[in-house]
Amino acid sequence: MYATQAMTQLVPLAKELDENKVTPGVLGFIVFAVMAGGVWLLMKSMTRHMGKVNFEEAPERQPTAPAGQQSPASPAAHGE
């Protein structure tokens, strides 16, 4: 079937449509369903990735002084 033949068959159908009424139709439903499926897959993936995250904070490491020196915060450094 050629495009011109398809258009000549669809033109009478277009005249029957109410110009004041707009509906999404099947194409709108398909697009919505695909988008909803994509969002569901993204949420499932995000949940899986968030499960791998460790939320516990590691304690801060104190800088270690070389063997012959004392840290300035120790009482022996102040002569006490």
Side-chain angles (χ1 to χ4, degrees):
M1 179 183 274
Y2 295 104
T4 55
Q5 290 176 341
M7 289 302 292
T8 56
Q9 291 178 358
L10 291 176
V11 168
L13 292 175
K15 290 180 182 177
E16 295 175 9
L17 293 177
D18 184 9
E19 293 180 6
N20 296 325
K21 183 179 178 184
V22 179
T23 61
V26 176
L27 180 62
F29 174 75
I30 291 171
V31 170
F32 180 78
V34 167
M35 289 176 61
V39 168
W40 180 75
L41 288 172
L42 284 171
M43 292 295 291
K44 189 173 180 178
S45 175
M46 183 188 72
T47 303
R48 198 173 333 123
H49 282 86
M50 291 299 285
K52 296 178 183 178
V53 175
N54 181 9
F55 289 103
E56 293 181 18
E57 291 186 22
E60 291 186 22
R61 301 179 81 192
Q62 296 293 331
T64 56
Q69 298 177 350
Q70 294 179 347
S71 66
S74 69
H78 296 287
E80 296 175 15

